[in-house]
Amino acid sequence: MPIQTQSEAATDETAGRVDAFVRRLTETSHSQSRGMIDRGCVSINGNACDDPAAPVAVGDLVAVRFDPTQRYRPKKERNWDDRTFTIVYEDEHLIVVDKAAGTLTVPTDRGDPNTLVERVSIYLSHSKTEREACLVHRLDREVSGLLIFGKHQPIADALIEQFKLQKPERIYNAIVAGRMPNDEGTLRAHLATGKNLDRYVTAPGKDTEEVITHYRVIARYEDTTLVEAKLQTGKRNQIRVQLSYAGHPILGDPHYEKERAQHPRWIRRRIALHALSLEFIHPVSGEPMKVTSPLPSAMQKFIAGSRVRK
């Protein structure tokens, strides 16, 4: 059979990693599509591509020139590489990932592509068991850090029940505006949701949610503070709203005390908030589990350039 060439421009639905694009375009296996990339069969906008993790943006033209009768084997096994997450822990029942800032956990009503649940599901689909990523909890788009998924729904349900009972310990680090006066404390409030979906502190009522966050000051700088926040409850935007209401919005926050959240040395579009540590009970073994994630480089660099003040 003669050599064939198949090409297609990426759309909102198909943009993403080139290996996934090639797999769909040629209707081949994961291994075959990776082999085509390794053997020089794939180009993006006319440029040869040898990286299976290379991004394909909307409008990019991907072309694959290959022999349908040939078996294209990958040159070597590669570690999974994805710009939206890294794997922190995985077993046959669950997976814990470190989400990159800027990644939606789940699609909005607009059907956003390349959400975390989609990318983790693609990763799991390449395994022999082809498990799915079952959502347990979420992080805001511009927040980075640890998230856990069940590989099938009963495992996710068991983990969700732990979260409802406030059993998992979730610790965050945040860099906030101003110097927090107390070394530690507890923030308690009731939150409601506005028409623009932003959250705000209000009096208790039938449409409000009680939120409780325990905090500890790690370091004070000239005009900012590094804070450890431990969730007792886990409601949407909880830490962001409570810290801003206390007069110390998180750097880079575009919604809560936006003006005060700006800082001349915080030039990132992300929020200076990171889910650092997660403790839970393994739903199958019953063993206590603890996973941690290092502070992202943006926060580390800001801290390194700050002068500690007592």
Side-chain angles (χ1 to χ4, degrees):
M1 184 176 290
I3 298 294
Q4 293 185 6
T5 299
Q6 295 185 22
S7 61
E8 184 178 295
T11 65
D12 286 333
E13 292 72 29
T14 59
R17 286 173 56 112
V18 69
D19 56 353
F21 194 100
V22 170
R23 181 184 181 189
R24 183 195 57 80
L25 178 63
T26 59
E27 297 182 342
T28 55
S29 67
H30 169 64
S31 177
Q32 180 82 336
S33 63
R34 296 289 283 267
M36 290 178 181
I37 295 169
D38 280 347
R39 306 297 170 177
C41 300
V42 178
S43 65
I44 303 177
N45 298 327
N47 299 313
C49 175
D50 61 1
D51 180 6
V56 177
V58 174
D60 284 348
L61 181 66
V62 178
V64 186
R65 188 172 183 273
F66 67 109
D67 181 349
T69 66
Q70 181 177 337
R71 172 62 176 164
Y72 293 90
R73 297 183 180 276
K75 289 182 180 179
K76 60 181 180 179
E77 290 296 320
R78 306 173 187 260
N79 292 326
W80 186 264
D81 183 25
D82 194 296
R83 67 181 184 275
T84 64
F85 73 93
T86 56
I87 301 167
V88 179
Y89 172 83
E90 182 181 10
D91 61 27
E92 62 181 311
H93 305 291
L94 57 88
I95 181 171
V96 182
V97 302
D98 192 341
K99 182 183 85 69
T103 301
L104 278 170
T105 304
V106 296
T108 65
D109 293 339
R110 296 188 296 271
D112 310 80
N114 293 319
T115 58
L116 185 66
V117 69
E118 175 189 356
R119 300 307 305 168
V120 176
S121 292
I122 290 173
Y123 163 73
L124 295 178
S125 73
H126 292 159
S127 67
K128 293 180 181 179
T129 55
E130 295 194 359
R131 301 287 174 86
E132 61 177 322
C134 301
L135 187 70
V136 174
H137 60 127
R138 309 183 187 193
L139 286 178
D140 295 340
R141 182 174 196 156
E142 296 305 331
V143 176
S144 58
L146 297 170
L147 277 171
I148 185 171
F149 292 90
K151 288 189 176 181
H152 43 87
Q153 197 58 51
I155 294 295
D157 290 342
L159 289 165
I160 290 170
E161 189 62 26
Q162 288 189 40
F163 278 80
K164 287 180 179 178
L165 297 174
Q166 302 178 5
K167 289 184 177 180
E169 182 178 88
R170 287 173 283 175
I171 296 177
Y172 292 68
N173 274 179
I175 304 173
V176 303
R179 291 163 52 81
M180 296 189 74
N182 298 325
D183 290 341
E184 59 184 28
T186 297
L187 303 174
R188 298 174 181 269
H190 281 77
L191 300 187
T193 303
K195 292 182 179 180
N196 63 353
L197 300 184
D198 280 353
R199 308 275 274 165
Y200 60 92
V201 174
T202 187
K206 63 182 182 66
D207 295 323
T208 67
E209 295 178 309
E210 184 181 22
V211 291
I212 303 172
T213 303
H214 308 285
Y215 73 89
R216 178 177 67 89
V217 169
I218 299 175
R220 294 182 181 89
Y221 308 114
E222 300 96 324
D223 53 3
T224 58
T225 306
L226 177 61
V227 182
E228 176 187 280
K230 182 188 298 185
L231 294 180
Q232 180 169 325
T233 58
K235 305 301 182 181
R236 183 171 67 87
N237 292 179
Q238 172 177 327
I239 296 175
R240 296 166 60 184
V241 176
Q242 288 192 284
L243 285 173
S244 67
Y245 188 74
H248 301 280
I250 300 172
L251 298 193
D253 197 322
H255 293 286
Y256 304 108
E257 296 284 339
K258 178 180 179 179
E259 297 302 321
R260 291 202 63 202
Q262 294 180 7
H263 192 282
R265 289 199 300 110
W266 186 260
I267 59 175
R268 308 284 181 167
R269 294 185 64 183
R270 61 158 296 156
I271 300 170
L273 178 63
H274 180 71
L276 187 81
S277 174
L278 176 63
E279 292 187 42
F280 59 96
I281 303 298
H282 195 287
V284 175
S285 69
E287 294 295 319
M289 304 283 295
K290 181 177 182 179
V291 287
T292 59
S293 165
L295 275 181
S297 59
M299 294 178 69
Q300 290 187 33
K301 289 177 181 177
F302 185 92
I303 292 168
S306 301
R307 182 178 301 175
V308 176
R309 297 282 183 87
K310 291 185 178 180

